[in-house]
Structures are given as structure tokens and as C-alpha cells.
Amino acid sequence: MRVGLVQLNSGADRTANLNAITALVRDGADVLCVPANFSVHTGPFHWQPLAQARAIENLCYVLAPAQCGTGADGFAAHGHSLAVDPWAVVLAGAEPPEAEGLVLAELSGDVLAGRRTALGSPRESKPEVYRGPVVTTSAASVS
């Protein structure tokens, strides 16, 4: 969906196929929405670095809404919704991480263009230069 001058696309949570996210960027995404529901045990260690990694590797803004609180099933979610710029700078985040609320950040097309110019746009990558088959392993086959 195009919003003003920005192409907005939605990824998925941590189980998302990274190739699918890369395809969104090649199709014109400037902003990725990557929601998740990390537990209170893994979230403090994994959530922010993974959101930052998606921003860096795709040179996109990442909006990362995250569920917080404890559900009826007893699952305790970490929360910590984030907005991250293409250089992995956290522009805004829920504080404290487990807080409910609205996270607002200003996104700049000029910053995005500058970062992409400095490093080369992900849209310019050439997957054909990588030789050999792509090997995938299902979780069930890993011992």
C-alpha cells in the first residue's frame, strides 16, 4: 500500500521467510511492519536486535508492534513495540517495554534515500551471482 511517498508492506513475525521480506523490498517497500509476540523470556534478548537486523539488511524503516501482557492461556508476552530506522537506530519504543500504548515516530524519505545511496539499495542486489542450490532444513529434521 502506498501512503504518501512511502510504499508500506507487511512482513510477519519471527517465523517469516526472510526471502519473502526481501521480495517486499524489491517490490518497492520502504517501511516493513513486522509484528511479533515474543515471550518475556526471549523478548528482552531477541526482539530489538531482530527488528534492527531487518532494518539494516533491507535498508528500510521497520515498524515492530509487539503484544504485551499475559493472555488467558498464561502466555506472558514481552511487548516493546519499536520503530527502527534503516541504520538500526531505534526512533521510538514502548517504555517500559511491557507498557500498553501508542508508539509514534517520524519517518524521513530523505534519511531513507541517504542510507540507500550510502550502501546501495537492496533493490539493486543480484541474487543470480550466488551460485549453488538453496538448502533449507525443516525444524523437524534438525537434531
Side-chain angles (χ1 to χ4, degrees):
M1 157 180 36
R2 185 152 291 282
V3 178
L5 299 175
V6 174
Q7 179 71 25
L8 184 67
N9 294 77
S10 178
D13 69 9
R14 65 190 171 114
T15 62
N17 179 328
L18 296 181
N19 290 331
I21 291 175
T22 301
L24 291 173
V25 175
R26 284 199 191 120
D27 288 344
D30 297 317
V31 179
L32 297 171
C33 294
V34 186
N37 188 20
F38 276 79
S39 76
V40 294
H41 303 291
T42 59
F45 305 101
H46 298 163
W47 174 232
Q48 183 171 324
L50 288 172
Q52 290 171 302
R54 299 297 81 81
I56 292 168
E57 68 195 5
N58 294 294
L59 290 173
C60 281
Y61 283 99
V62 170
L63 305 180
Q67 294 181 354
C68 64
T70 303
D73 61 357
F75 179 83
H78 169 61
H80 202 200
S81 295
L82 299 167
V84 183
D85 88 350
W87 217 245
V89 174
V90 175
L91 300 173
E95 290 300 333
E98 67 277 3
E100 291 183 22
L102 184 63
V103 174
L104 300 174
E106 187 173 328
L107 311 184
S108 167
D110 291 338
V111 169
L112 180 65
R115 298 302 190 207
R116 287 181 171 171
T117 299
L119 282 178
S121 172
R123 295 181 191 129
E124 297 171 5
S125 65
K126 299 186 178 2
E128 65 275 7
V129 301
Y130 303 102
R131 302 196 192 284
V134 175
V135 178
T136 59
T137 306
S138 70
S141 67
V142 176
S143 33

